[in-house]
Amino acid sequence: MENFENKVVLITGGGTGIGKATASAFIAKGATVVITGRRQSVLEETSQELGPQVYPIVGDVSKKGGPARIVEETISKFGRLDVLVNNAGTGKMGPLSETSDEDIESIYRTNVFALLALVREATVHLANSKGAVVNISSVAAQGMMPAVAAYASSKAAVEHATRLLAAELGPMGIRVNAVAPGLTNTDIAADVKSNEEMLGMIIAQTPMGRLGEPKDIANVVLLMSGSGAGWITGQSVQAGGGFLL
Ligand SMILES: NC(=O)c1ccc[n+]([C@@H]2O[C@H](COP(=O)([O-])OP(=O)(O)OC[C@H]3O[C@@H](n4cnc5c(N)ncnc54)[C@H](OP(=O)(O)O)[C@@H]3O)[C@@H](O)[C@H]2O)c1
């Protein structure tokens, strides 16, 4: 896979799970990686583990002004931005009747509002580098699943925003794609993993017969970020071992 030496990659939610595996994969290819998240201790631990090519920025992407500050700090520290991975996300399992206004707002602020604001703030820098955006969606955006209406609909918004932004930013040389993971072995999937019946059902519907690992998704994010995907934009690539085929 191609080299990312001298490239700067910003990964929201880069301290854990898919974001951390993606940071690690970019570092292995020579990139400098900025990771963000709300928990300072998590970011510090991940930075120590991944080494000096990682730069942590503590911040909440769902708060007004958060995305602008994160992009500004990235540029003032490194002077460029080549890849933006909109990975920070949140969700809640449960029927809509048990989903509060606060839950819905938090899901949409984190998964959709923040993504749009981050892309807006990053556009001028990505235009300079002819860079790429990779949005982390979910297979939940593409099929029927029980008890995830707020989360799944927010990820459907991510997928449509991916197409619209690809059209808007393509003339500036910026590609915008999404990666849609199936169930992956991270903290956000804890509720599903601990529900044996649901876990069994999902694995039974996955031709590859297992849960995804963060590295499985990281590999696809790298593919979509590099010049090998230079003629691909506005697409969502499922990375779920064939779930929902
Ligand atoms: N695991 C799966 O089965 C699965 C399947 C489909 C899609 N996805 C998507 O994959 C992405 C990564 O999730 P994951 O599976 O790796 O789970 P995860 O380990 O829980 O990662 C979520 C990350 O987002 C960060 N985050 C959440 N809210 C934030 C906010 N307001 N501001 C800044 N950072 C925030 C979290 O850090 P802090 O809490 O420290 O802020 C955390 O590092 C998410 O978009 C998720 O929806 C996951």
Side-chain angles (χ1 to χ4, degrees), residues 16 18 38-39 60-61 87 136-137 151 155 181 184 186 188:
T16 65
I18 291 168
R38 292 162 299 178
R39 289 166 296 169
D60 187 336
V61 293
N87 166 76
I136 305 300
S137 171
Y151 175 75
K155 292 297 190 179
T184 307
T186 70
I188 210 174

Side-chain angles (χ1 to χ4, degrees), residues 12-20 36-40 42-43 59-63 70 86-91 106 109-111 114 136-140 151 155 179-190 192 211-212 214 217:
T12 64
T16 65
I18 291 168
K20 179 179 174 182
T36 72
R38 292 162 299 178
R39 289 166 296 169
Q40 182 164 5
V42 169
L43 290 185
D60 187 336
V61 293
S62 72
K63 294 268 189 293
I70 289 163
N86 281 306
N87 166 76
T90 191
S106 155
R109 279 201 174 283
T110 310
N111 298 359
I136 305 300
S137 171
S138 168
V139 292
Y151 175 75
K155 292 297 190 179
V179 174
L183 187 65
T184 307
N185 193 8
T186 70
D187 294 349
I188 210 174
V192 185
L211 265 189
I217 312 305

Side-chain angles (χ1 to χ4, degrees), residues 1-243:
M1 207 183 275
E2 95 183 63
N3 214 294
F4 285 90
E5 260 165 41
N6 304 318
K7 306 270 191 210
V8 176
V9 180
L10 170 57
I11 305 174
T12 64
T16 65
I18 291 168
K20 179 179 174 182
T22 304
S24 173
F26 271 114
I27 286 164
K29 295 292 173 192
T32 296
V33 179
V34 177
I35 58 173
T36 72
R38 292 162 299 178
R39 289 166 296 169
Q40 182 164 5
S41 57
V42 169
L43 290 185
E44 277 171 4
E45 203 173 299
T46 297
S47 303
Q48 285 220 329
E49 188 183 326
L50 299 184
Q53 281 164 261
V54 174
Y55 182 80
I57 300 178
V58 179
D60 187 336
V61 293
S62 72
K63 294 268 189 293
K64 274 193 186 145
R69 190 180 61 75
I70 289 163
V71 172
E72 260 167 43
E73 191 172 336
T74 302
I75 297 301
S76 73
K77 179 80 186 158
F78 299 107
R80 62 181 294 136
L81 180 62
D82 296 277
V83 180
L84 168 64
V85 183
N86 281 306
N87 166 76
T90 191
K92 189 186 176 219
M93 282 291 290
L96 192 60
S97 57
E98 291 166 21
T99 308
S100 67
D101 287 348
E102 289 72 23
D103 294 331
I104 296 170
E105 188 171 341
S106 155
I107 289 168
Y108 269 76
R109 279 201 174 283
T110 310
N111 298 359
V112 185
F113 293 16
L115 178 148
L116 292 171
L118 278 152
V119 173
R120 183 190 61 218
E121 299 303 323
T123 293
V124 62
H125 309 293
L126 292 169
N128 287 338
S129 63
K130 303 285 177 246
V133 177
V134 180
N135 297 321
I136 305 300
S137 171
S138 168
V139 292
Q142 301 172 357
M144 210 296 293
M145 267 172 223
V148 285
Y151 175 75
S153 62
S154 78
K155 292 297 190 179
V158 168
E159 300 231 327
H160 201 46
T162 298
R163 288 186 282 272
L164 297 171
L165 292 170
E168 189 171 327
L169 307 187
M172 296 174 219
I174 304 170
R175 295 182 304 103
V176 185
N177 289 293
V179 174
L183 187 65
T184 307
N185 193 8
T186 70
D187 294 349
I188 210 174
D191 283 355
V192 185
K193 282 191 295 178
S194 63
N195 182 333
E196 267 182 38
E197 195 187 331
M198 192 175 289
L199 183 63
M201 227 169 60
I202 290 173
I203 291 180
Q205 284 182 45
T206 304
M208 298 303 287
R210 64 169 175 86
L211 265 189
E213 292 299 327
K215 197 169 188 310
D216 293 320
I217 312 305
N219 289 338
V220 184
V221 176
L222 253 72
L223 264 177
M224 299 312 288
S225 303
S227 59
W231 199 229
I232 301 177
T233 196
Q235 304 304 307
S236 179
V237 180
Q238 268 201 26
F243 182 68

